[in-house]
Amino acid sequence: MAKEKKRKQPASDAAPPAGGEGEGRSERKGKKHKRAKADVILPSQIKNKDKRSEPPERQVPRTIENTREPDETVCRPDDQELFAGNDADEFNAVLKQHMTPKVLITTCRFNSGRGPAFIEELMQVIPNSHYVKRGTYELKKIVEYAKNREFTSLIVVHTNRREPDALLIIGLPDGPTAHFKLSKLILRKDIKNHGNPTSHKPELVLNNFTTRLGHRVGRMIQSLFPQDPNFRGRRVVTFHNQRDYIFFRHHRYIFETKEKKVASKDKKAKASESKSKPEKEVICRLQECGPRFTLKLLTLQHGTFDTKSGEYEWVHKPDMDTSRRRFFL
């Protein structure tokens, strides 16, 4: 009987189950966590069709160019005042092909070093350009000489310590005059795998001349070249403005035919490809002709060259370089 009494004990005196209430709570939390995981859609669960139909937004990186300081002089496509100014400026006759560009190239009084080689390559870049030796003549007399012979522009290559360091571009007969600092000059012979340009009229590309000042400088550069390029020559002349530095490049297109290889996993398809002729593909690439240099605008003056009584449209001063995100072209 004693053994039976020991077996029949009240439920209240029985020991609690292992884990108790703490284990029950943990089970509930685990179930909630599993439900939350089930609600989250993993990338592997998205169908390919959905991925293609809704691509993620492309993030544009922040650069100095796209975070530049706001400028009121930036040209807009609906600016009627800008178009009216184009019809009345000094380059209108050349750009509308009423006149053929004719460029005179000369030097400073003491020209040596790489100056003659640079002028020779510059004459190959600009069609209908002529070289006149400076000698001891003053620049004003050369301007009058160019006016009398109906030149539309005058380019003066300045050298310092046997190295070209500046370009002076004068629009004729009424100006304006632009003074550029020239740097990082690389001649054609120093460019690896360079090409030799032909005598065809080149295609001109101007990039990022966005402000009123940049638009005016761009039209001045454009007036040096004919407006009817000969595309058969495959020549391209580029003036690319970036952070107020104008990078000059001279290229030519080259079209090549190469055999196209088609990769296949099927053995039978590979065997048939080996017997058949390979497909040919036309590839286009650029070959640099040179020279290569960089320009930086220092001054823009009304009229032809006059250092004493000339009126300046724009002058670069050190006080203007207060911010890395402030540009003028």
Side-chain angles (χ1 to χ4, degrees):
M1 293 292 289
K3 291 181 181 179
E4 290 179 0
K5 285 180 181 179
K6 286 181 180 177
R7 290 174 187 171
K8 294 179 181 180
Q9 290 180 356
S12 58
D13 298 336
E21 293 181 1
E23 189 175 347
R25 288 175 187 171
S26 62
E27 285 178 3
R28 289 175 206 152
K29 286 181 181 178
K31 289 179 182 178
K32 287 181 181 179
H33 188 61
K34 286 179 182 178
R35 285 174 193 168
K37 276 188 175 180
D39 294 338
V40 176
I41 300 174
L42 299 175
S44 59
Q45 296 173 345
I46 302 173
K47 295 181 180 179
N48 290 335
K49 187 177 179 181
D50 297 333
K51 288 182 180 179
R52 289 193 293 270
S53 61
E54 296 181 4
E57 294 184 1
R58 186 177 179 182
Q59 296 182 353
V60 180
R62 286 173 58 86
T63 61
I64 293 180
E65 284 79 10
N66 60 23
T67 57
R68 64 181 293 178
E69 291 184 3
D71 194 343
E72 296 178 355
T73 63
V74 172
C75 301
R76 297 180 180 178
D78 58 345
D79 193 346
Q80 299 298 328
E81 184 181 350
L82 179 66
F83 299 140
N86 291 344
D87 296 335
D89 67 2
E90 302 90 341
F91 319 113
N92 185 48
V94 175
L95 298 184
K96 288 195 172 181
Q97 301 185 26
H98 300 315
M99 294 176 61
T100 303
K102 189 179 178 183
V103 182
L104 176 67
I105 301 178
T106 187
T107 64
C108 59
R109 291 183 176 177
F110 303 101
N111 181 40
S112 60
R114 295 203 297 172
F118 174 57
I119 290 172
E120 184 179 351
E121 294 186 8
L122 201 61
M123 290 177 67
Q124 294 179 358
V125 171
I126 303 174
N128 200 17
S129 56
H130 307 270
Y131 170 71
V132 173
K133 192 175 181 180
R134 173 73 178 269
T136 58
Y137 292 102
E138 294 182 358
L139 192 54
K140 289 185 179 180
K141 291 184 178 180
I142 294 179
V143 170
E144 292 297 327
Y145 171 86
K147 284 182 184 179
N148 296 334
R149 283 156 181 78
E150 297 182 350
F151 283 93
T152 59
S153 299
L154 171 64
I155 298 178
V156 182
V157 179
H158 186 271
T159 57
N160 183 23
R161 295 181 181 178
R162 301 171 61 85
E163 186 70 19
D165 69 333
L167 275 186
L168 197 68
I169 303 178
I170 304 173
L172 299 176
D174 301 321
T177 301
H179 181 205
F180 295 94
K181 178 185 176 183
L182 190 148
S183 60
K184 298 181 180 179
L185 173 63
I186 301 177
L187 298 177
R188 183 180 304 142
K189 65 178 183 179
D190 300 323
I191 297 175
K192 188 178 180 180
N193 299 326
H194 65 82
N196 295 317
T198 60
S199 58
H200 296 83
K201 296 176 183 177
E203 178 186 358
L204 182 65
V205 178
L206 298 173
N207 289 333
N208 295 338
F209 293 90
T210 55
T211 63
R212 290 289 185 93
L213 177 64
H215 182 74
R216 186 158 172 77
V217 172
R219 283 177 66 85
M220 186 177 196
I221 294 172
Q222 192 177 358
S223 67
L224 300 174
F225 295 86
Q227 305 306 303
D228 52 343
N230 193 339
F231 296 103
R232 188 175 293 275
R234 310 191 308 276
R235 290 180 60 197
V236 183
V237 173
T238 306
F239 289 87
H240 176 76
N241 173 43
Q242 187 171 356
R243 305 180 191 178
D244 288 349
Y245 286 93
I246 302 172
F247 299 93
F248 173 85
R249 297 294 184 270
H250 181 203
H251 295 92
R252 64 190 293 263
Y253 294 110
I254 293 181
F255 297 98
E256 297 175 339
T257 55
K258 290 189 176 182
E259 295 180 354
K260 186 179 179 181
K261 296 180 180 178
V262 182
S264 179
K265 295 181 180 179
D266 192 4
K267 294 181 179 180
K268 294 181 180 179
K270 283 184 179 180
S272 60
E273 284 172 14
S274 60
K275 294 178 182 179
S276 61
K277 294 181 180 179
E279 296 180 5
K280 290 186 178 181
E281 184 181 13
V282 179
I283 298 174
C284 178
R285 65 181 180 89
L286 287 175
Q287 183 182 31
E288 190 169 359
C289 298
R292 184 194 303 172
F293 56 86
T294 305
L295 298 175
K296 171 84 171 177
L297 181 65
L298 299 180
T299 61
L300 185 65
Q301 183 181 356
H302 280 294
T304 55
F305 180 77
D306 190 355
T307 54
K308 293 183 179 179
S309 57
E311 182 182 354
Y312 288 90
E313 296 183 35
W314 186 85
V315 179
H316 179 266
K317 297 179 180 178
D319 301 342
M320 296 178 176
D321 300 331
T322 55
S323 173
R324 294 181 61 206
R325 289 176 170 80
R326 186 181 182 190
F327 308 123
F328 301 99
L329 298 183

